[in-house]
Amino acid sequence: MAITINKSVENRDYKTVYFTIEYDGKDYKWHAKMKKDVSDVQGYLDAKSDTLKQGMLRQQYHKAQVPNLNGKTALESFEAW
C-alpha cells in the first residue's frame, strides 16, 4: 500500500490533507483532518496506514461480518476474510 499526498490546506485550527491510497491495484482518494503542528505529514499518514487500510476495507464491505482470527489483528483478519 502506498500513500501519496495530493494537497494540503491549512484552516484556522487544523489542516486538511488530500491523499491517494494505492491498494490492491486500485487508487482510492481520501482526506483527513490533522493538527496544524504536524510537520511530517507523510510520516504521520504512513504511521496510520493500517488504520487507513482497515477503514477503506470497512467502507467497501460495510456489511461484512469479519470474525477476529486468533492471534491476528483486526486488519489481518479482514484481509484473510
Side-chain angles (χ1 to χ4, degrees):
M1 179 174 98
I3 299 173
T4 304
I5 298 171
N6 301 318
K7 181 170 95 172
S8 179
V9 177
E10 288 209 16
N11 302 296
R12 190 176 70 173
D13 300 324
Y14 60 91
K15 65 174 99 176
T16 303
V17 179
Y18 299 90
F19 53 96
T20 302
I21 299 172
E22 185 278 319
Y23 177 71
D24 199 25
K26 296 179 185 173
D27 288 340
Y28 300 90
K29 304 282 185 189
W30 285 71
H31 69 279
K33 286 176 26 175
M34 61 183 63
K35 294 180 180 180
K36 286 178 85 168
D37 63 351
V38 174
S39 60
D40 182 10
V41 175
Q42 185 70 52
Y44 179 87
L45 292 173
D46 288 344
K48 300 272 185 194
S49 64
D50 283 354
T51 303
L52 293 169
K53 189 189 300 183
Q54 185 175 352
M56 185 177 59
L57 289 169
R58 182 53 59 195
Q59 274 196 339
Q60 279 188 303
Y61 305 103
H62 60 279
K63 292 185 180 184
Q65 294 182 6
V66 179
N68 193 4
L69 302 175
N70 289 334
K72 302 287 184 186
T73 65
L75 176 58
E76 291 169 331
S77 294
F78 212 126
E79 289 179 321
W81 174 81

